Amino acid sequence: MQTKHLLGIEPLHPHQITEILDLADQYAQSNRSKAPINDVLGGCTQINMFFENSTRTQASFEIAGKRLGADVMNMSMKASSINKGETLIDTAVTLNAMHPDLLVVRHPHSGAVDLLAQKVDCAVINAGDGRHEHPTQALLDALTIRRSKGRLHRLNIAICGDIAHSRVARSNLILLGKMENRIRLVGPATLMPSGITEFGAEVYHDMNEGLKDVDVIMMLRLQSERMDGGFIPSEREYYHRYGLDTAKLSNAKEGAIVMHPGPMNRGVEIDGEIADDLSRSVIQEQVEMGVAVRMAVMNILMRSRREAAQEAML
Amino acid sequence: MTSLRITNVHLVDPETQTVTLGSLTINNGRISGADTADTLLDAEGQYLAPGIVDIGAKVCEPGERHKESFRSAGLAAAAGGVTTLVARPDTKPSVDSPETLEFASRRAQANCIVHSYQMAALTKGRLGREMTEIGFLQDAGAIAFTDCDAVITDNKVLSRALTYASQLGALIIGHPQDPSLSKGASATSGKFASLRAIPAVSTMAERLGLERDLAMVEMTGAKYHADQISTVQALPALERAKAQGLDVTAGINIHHLTLNEFDVANYRSFFKVKPPLRSENDRLAMVNALASGLIDTISSMHTPQDEESKRVPFEQAASGAVALETLLPAALRLYHAEQLSLPQLFRALSLNPARRLGLTSGRLAVGAPADLILFDPNIPFVLDRYKLKSKSKNTPFDGQRMQGRVLATFVDGKKVYQL
């Protein structure tokens, strides 16, 4: 991978995606076997900057960094000088002066991580920017699918729920499209982004039809602020029409897997019984793959930085 | 005052829609029919056109002089070939009383090297609740009335303000937009906005706003100019209103004529304008509407913003771009693309806006004010935003190749700028 940052799936080539997944697969094995891991990030400083609350993603990045030997520092940006009116660029310039090696950034506005990356010298990983992209989530989803289905191409994959407001959906749509899968988007028209017909995906408003013969079902979290009658009439109508239950799931292919980026709303977008059925749901595995994928991304970014530095010295 | 005769020059006449090689005499600040003059100037075959009349530039006085002042705006206008600047009232505070209007006019009088007229707000504080003192403001020199991008949503308030304004013959400038649909949006709905995940507004919001305004014009008989038409969907309504004989004209902003939504690329906030940039399909339709005369005027919608309000994530960034100096070179892109002729361009840049405002400029006719620009439509250059005369440097054209520059600008026969 020649890139300096991981800002989104959009700029990646399919072979770069495969490279990340291959390395992540190795990390997944060694994480399970507790085998010793090469300290590739030894002496590196990693700063996690989360301008938006997150528990699991932040923890996952922290563990990934520590397993590779980095010194990890968490900054809760909600409590920092951002509230004193400092602009994002000022914050970036200030941090840059401390010479970190890696910044992991989550921000509530689309494009904010991109803007920050222009102002710093270190590698930047996008941990979610607004509704735009969440690349490591798409990569961990891809790895989970590949391990479970044995391949990452020519699969029928349904992404269900609040497509319009989801960065997870956007990154997955791009990644799975690049890997040549057939993608269906399932959800009410009010939760579909504009221009959706131009994305090369099939759009379904009836979930039973949308799930017919799919290999993979990706459920999305419905944010509580969307439930107030603005986008959908009510939570119970949403659950009735778009909540994943056994009846709707029966339309999918035998052995289809169920995914969810978490945290789940049981009884809103997914039935508790399915979420906890380990023969169908791979939600736990997704969390596990999250650490492996993030380790792989960090390793590759740091390696390419070192190579670039060496080339510069020659 | 001495007289000047510019010879060997291509005269771009928007009234006759011709370009002819000839000469033109300036005497006593006006265009004269005389064949001789005290001074001769050989223009070496360059082009002379009536100076641009720009409806709707924001000068930021009163309130935000760090962004732009009458002095800096005047210098920028002169360098860009704008000889008449019509200032917007969306300042801090708004120009909504005779007192603020007098302040702004006094500042302009003292500092601005081109003609400057002031527009006033249609409602107090641009809040859409009570109409301003339209009569007093008109007496104090307000040339038109507009709440700018603060659309009046209460139809009762709007209908009364329009009725009152129409009895005084005042020109109303509307911003056709449905604000409930466009609230929070900084892109146009479609694939690009969805890919970049920027909150977006449907192009229908412009049509809805325009249809509402035109119904109000039909009801009240007001004299109405739509500040910016930018979408295909709005054109049939405009065509219908004109065919119906309503006193309606429409303008477009230079950025919507020469840029499209893809220019935003990776969240470049200097391309964030209001309304947001449209699709290429819309842009081409606007160029055609301008050529056919359905859209009457081109304006800069000059909106200075400081670095602090632009160098933030796209959604949070302020809207608007400076354009006084880039208006002509950008407009000449349409000439070089063979989409519009020079007389067609100057009909929209100079003649039509002057006529709409009731000014006698915008023409090359004998007796008209000698507000003129001498320009070379072909000279190439790369725009460097730090060389702009505006205090704010927020132009989307930074680093872009442009073709065509103003060589000299005359206001009332006096040279106010020379390259």
Side-chain angles (χ1 to χ4, degrees):
Chain A
M1 200 160 80
Q2 297 298 315
T3 40
K4 200 181 161 195
H5 310 294
L6 179 69
L7 300 177
I9 297 296
E10 209 187 339
L12 295 183
H13 289 289
H15 74 265
Q16 292 176 307
I17 293 169
T18 307
E19 186 192 342
I20 296 171
L21 298 185
D22 289 348
L23 182 60
D25 223 350
Q26 292 173 25
Y27 278 131
Q29 301 305 336
S30 49
N31 279 341
R32 273 191 191 171
S33 63
K34 300 263 171 198
I37 291 165
N38 189 4
D39 267 9
V40 286
L41 259 62
C44 290
T45 310
Q46 171 191 342
I47 304 182
N48 295 336
M49 293 169 77
F50 280 64
F51 294 88
E52 206 178 64
N53 286 335
S54 156
T55 320
R56 52 182 68 213
T57 308
Q58 189 171 340
S60 181
F61 271 108
E62 187 173 348
I63 289 171
K66 285 185 168 157
R67 288 223 172 120
L68 294 176
D71 299 317
V72 187
M73 185 187 143
N74 286 310
M75 288 178 70
S76 170
M77 302 310 293
K78 293 220 138 181
S80 84
S81 50
I82 281 294
N83 291 337
K84 298 176 198 155
E86 187 176 76
T87 67
L88 183 62
I89 286 181
D90 289 341
T91 308
V93 170
T94 306
L95 276 177
N96 194 45
M98 303 178 194
H99 300 295
D101 300 283
L102 183 62
L103 281 181
V104 178
V105 187
R106 171 170 285 189
H107 197 280
H109 292 296
S110 304
V113 182
D114 203 284
L115 178 70
L116 192 135
Q118 294 166 21
K119 304 291 164 187
V120 296
D121 303 317
C122 63
V124 175
I125 297 178
N126 180 0
D129 63 324
R131 311 166 183 178
H132 178 223
E133 281 230 45
H134 190 355
T136 54
Q137 178 72 42
L139 288 163
L140 74 88
D141 287 343
L143 182 60
T144 309
I145 295 170
R146 199 174 81 168
R147 285 166 62 99
S148 157
K149 290 287 157 197
R151 66 173 197 270
L152 191 59
H153 59 272
R154 296 176 70 183
L155 291 166
N156 280 315
I157 300 172
I159 305 178
C160 310
D162 185 359
I163 316 282
H165 302 98
S166 171
R167 54 191 172 214
V168 176
R170 214 164 257 98
S171 285
N172 267 315
L173 184 59
I174 300 169
L175 188 150
L176 297 170
K178 277 182 199 272
M179 305 311 280
E180 299 182 5
N181 294 281
R182 197 162 160 184
I183 304 161
R184 302 179 184 182
L185 301 175
V186 183
T190 44
L191 295 178
M192 289 287 170
S194 62
I196 192 70
T197 48
E198 297 168 52
F199 277 81
E202 297 162 53
V203 177
Y204 290 88
H205 299 307
D206 180 325
M207 198 168 184
N208 284 312
E209 277 177 42
L211 294 189
K212 199 144 271 167
D213 297 326
V214 296
D215 301 290
V216 177
I217 303 169
M218 306 181 102
M219 299 304 299
L220 297 170
R221 176 182 165 79
L222 185 70
Q223 307 284 340
S224 55
E225 62 264 30
R226 318 273 181 234
M227 300 177 196
D228 59 2
F231 290 87
I232 53 166
S234 70
E235 202 177 298
R236 61 181 192 178
E237 181 162 333
Y238 185 81
Y239 181 64
H240 177 69
R241 292 181 56 84
Y242 299 103
L244 185 66
D245 53 22
T246 328
K248 295 193 192 92
L249 181 57
S250 67
N251 291 292
K253 225 177 246 174
E254 189 80 30
I257 54 167
V258 176
M259 308 177 74
H260 194 295
M264 281 181 282
N265 297 306
R266 289 183 174 80
V268 179
E269 71 258 354
I270 191 163
D271 188 283
E273 212 179 304
I274 296 171
D276 302 325
D277 176 1
L278 290 179
S279 67
R280 306 307 297 268
S281 144
V282 291
I283 297 167
Q284 292 300 320
E285 172 138 351
Q286 284 175 275
V287 178
E288 188 188 344
M289 291 311 121
V291 176
V293 152
R294 284 161 187 138
M295 289 168 77
V297 168
M298 289 174 181
N299 182 347
I300 291 170
L301 284 178
M302 283 301 119
R303 232 186 319 157
S304 81
R305 257 173 76 80
R306 280 190 197 123
E307 280 162 17
Q310 273 169 1
E311 269 175 41
M313 280 168 71
L314 298 171
Chain B
M1 197 175 187
T2 57
S3 56
L4 172 71
R5 184 163 172 83
I6 304 171
T7 59
N8 190 18
V9 72
H10 284 97
L11 299 166
V12 181
D13 189 338
E15 271 187 309
T16 57
Q17 286 290 298
T18 53
V19 181
T20 44
L21 189 64
S23 40
L24 182 137
T25 308
I26 301 169
N27 191 10
N28 253 337
R30 296 200 167 262
I31 296 168
S32 143
D35 290 341
T36 52
D38 307 339
T39 322
L40 288 181
L41 172 69
D42 183 350
E44 295 169 348
Q46 293 304 349
Y47 291 72
L48 190 73
I52 297 168
V53 178
D54 186 21
I55 302 180
K58 184 168 174 181
V59 179
C60 304
E61 280 196 74
E64 292 174 297
R65 245 166 74 194
H66 65 288
K67 292 186 178 177
E68 195 82 284
S69 66
F70 276 105
R71 195 184 129 73
S72 60
L75 291 169
V82 175
T83 50
T84 301
L85 193 151
V86 181
R88 298 210 305 258
D90 55 344
T91 45
K92 288 178 184 171
S94 309
V95 177
D96 62 352
S97 68
E99 290 77 14
T100 41
L101 184 94
E102 269 170 35
F103 170 81
S105 304
R106 200 169 63 235
R107 296 282 309 168
Q109 192 70 38
N111 300 301
C112 188
I113 59 170
V114 300
H115 294 299
S116 164
Y117 291 93
Q118 188 69 46
M119 296 195 282
L122 186 58
T123 65
K124 287 173 189 156
R126 301 194 301 126
L127 294 170
R129 288 202 279 269
E130 304 159 62
M131 70 176 91
T132 50
E133 295 168 309
I134 299 173
F136 274 153
L137 285 160
Q138 220 179 9
D139 293 345
I143 197 166
F145 293 82
T146 179
D147 275 3
C148 301
D149 60 347
V151 176
I152 300 171
T153 50
D154 188 325
N155 289 337
K156 197 89 197 170
V157 172
L158 180 63
S159 70
R160 284 181 181 147
L162 290 182
T163 305
Y164 193 87
S166 82
Q167 63 161 12
L168 294 169
L171 175 65
I172 302 299
I173 296 184
H175 181 70
Q177 189 65 232
D178 184 309
S180 57
L181 281 178
S182 65
K183 191 173 170 224
S186 39
T188 303
S189 297
K191 188 184 179 189
F192 178 77
S194 292
L195 259 181
R196 289 285 176 274
I198 306 170
V201 57
S202 163
T203 52
M204 274 307 166
E206 183 172 294
R207 174 178 155 192
L208 278 169
L210 184 66
E211 298 265 19
R212 193 275 310 245
D213 284 7
L214 294 176
M216 284 283 174
V217 169
E218 193 176 331
M219 182 168 121
T220 59
K223 204 166 143 184
Y224 178 88
H225 176 77
D227 66 349
Q228 305 180 62
I229 295 294
S230 57
T231 65
V232 173
Q233 277 85 357
L235 294 179
L238 185 61
E239 210 165 359
R240 213 166 51 234
K242 285 189 162 186
Q244 219 178 318
L246 301 181
D247 191 356
V248 166
T249 51
I252 185 168
N253 168 340
I254 188 63
H255 301 115
H256 290 97
L257 269 182
T258 52
L259 302 170
N260 69 30
E261 56 184 350
F262 296 130
D263 286 304
V264 169
N266 263 345
Y267 305 99
R268 295 194 284 174
S269 58
F270 280 30
F271 289 81
K272 183 172 174 180
V273 292
K274 211 172 182 179
L277 290 174
R278 308 301 193 182
S279 68
E280 179 63 2
N281 188 29
D282 281 312
R283 188 188 75 84
L284 290 172
M286 295 309 108
V287 174
N288 288 335
L290 197 66
S292 75
L294 180 57
I295 291 180
D296 304 90
T297 66
I298 305 173
S299 68
S300 71
M301 280 294 148
H302 181 77
T303 306
Q305 298 289 1
D306 51 22
E307 302 285 304
E308 289 255 298
S309 40
K310 277 291 187 186
R311 293 286 188 205
V312 291
F314 193 83
E315 285 172 51
Q316 293 175 308
S319 297
V322 292
L324 285 169
E325 282 167 86
T326 48
L327 175 57
L328 183 63
L332 285 170
R333 284 182 171 182
L334 303 173
Y335 162 71
H336 293 298
E338 294 175 4
Q339 288 166 320
L340 288 172
S341 68
L342 287 176
Q344 278 178 318
L345 271 183
F346 280 91
R347 182 178 66 193
L349 287 167
S350 309
L351 179 65
N352 284 344
R355 272 192 185 152
R356 195 51 174 152
L357 297 167
L359 304 175
T360 53
S361 56
R363 302 175 300 142
L364 291 185
V366 169
D371 292 348
L372 299 165
I373 54 175
L374 188 64
F375 69 104
D376 176 348
N378 299 313
I379 184 171
F381 69 103
V382 175
L383 189 95
D384 175 357
R385 70 190 188 106
Y386 293 105
K387 288 190 179 148
L388 294 178
K389 297 193 164 40
S390 283
K391 281 193 186 177
S392 297
K393 313 292 182 194
N394 55 309
T395 172
F397 296 111
D398 185 40
Q400 291 197 24
R401 289 164 200 281
M402 306 194 97
Q403 213 179 336
R405 281 200 119 152
V406 176
L407 304 172
T409 304
F410 300 88
V411 172
D412 282 337
K414 200 179 126 203
K415 194 188 280 180
V416 294
Y417 172 80
Q418 178 153 26
L419 182 68

